[in-house]
Amino acid sequence: MKRLPPVRAGEPPWYPPLLLCSFALTLYAGTRLLGGDDPLGVVLWIVGAALLHDLVLLPLYTAADRTAGALRPPRRRPGADGAAPEAAGAPAPYRPGINHLRIPALLSGLLLLVWWPLVSGPPARFERYTGLSADGFTERWLLVTAALFAVSAGWALLSALRRRARR
């Protein structure tokens, strides 16, 4: 009988069975939610979504984040003794304001991901099944995105004013 590979250092021994159970639960939930008797189709859908994320979306939003981070030069935080950050062992330069772009972009992207079928154009059966009109989802998503960025810009302005007042 072949032995299982050893558990990686630091992992509890119950981790691999728990991971297998979570995969089984995901397969069951996917089969139930997608309303099919085709577990292979659900597995292919989940694997396809993971591959789409890892091979397409992750490089795209990583490149966008690095581009946004490169637009503004980093501000170096001095070490405790006033030395350069490299001497103090600081991990990375501080870029004030980058999170004021990341957070609304993340929230807007999550809303787009969840509501994509309705934002891109509602399916014909939506109104028939729900009795609700599917008009205006694109406009509402754009308005929510604009509001998220506007609130974030206001927050960034207030933060900059408070930093300036403290100096």
Side-chain angles (χ1 to χ4, degrees):
M1 185 167 143
K2 189 174 180 180
R3 294 188 68 175
L4 291 174
V7 177
R8 291 191 332 205
E11 288 181 355
W14 46 266
Y15 183 75
L18 181 67
L19 190 61
L20 290 174
C21 288
S22 73
F23 286 144
L25 179 65
T26 302
L27 178 64
Y28 171 75
T31 304
R32 297 289 296 184
L33 288 174
L34 296 176
D37 298 323
D38 182 24
L40 181 62
V42 174
V43 168
L44 290 175
W45 186 83
I46 291 171
V47 169
L51 288 175
L52 174 71
H53 174 266
D54 292 350
L55 298 177
V56 177
L57 297 177
L58 181 67
L60 282 177
Y61 61 72
T62 300
D65 183 57
R66 290 193 181 175
T67 302
L71 292 177
R72 187 169 184 186
R75 182 173 14 159
R76 299 286 179 185
R77 288 184 173 171
D81 59 353
E86 294 81 24
Y94 172 63
R95 296 186 186 277
I98 191 69
N99 286 337
H100 293 287
L101 286 175
R102 285 178 180 160
I103 292 172
L106 171 76
L107 293 174
S108 176
L110 285 174
L111 286 172
L112 181 62
L113 180 67
V114 170
W115 296 105
W116 174 253
L118 296 174
V119 170
S120 66
R125 63 181 189 262
F126 177 78
E127 197 166 336
R128 186 179 43 201
Y129 287 161
T130 64
L132 302 172
S133 173
D135 295 334
F137 272 91
T138 304
E139 292 83 9
R140 283 184 241 154
W141 175 75
L142 289 171
L143 284 172
V144 168
T145 298
L148 286 169
F149 277 98
V151 167
S152 184
W155 194 293
L157 180 64
L158 286 174
S159 297
L161 291 174
R162 281 191 333 192
R163 274 194 309 269
R164 177 170 277 183
R166 277 188 273 175
R167 289 183 191 171

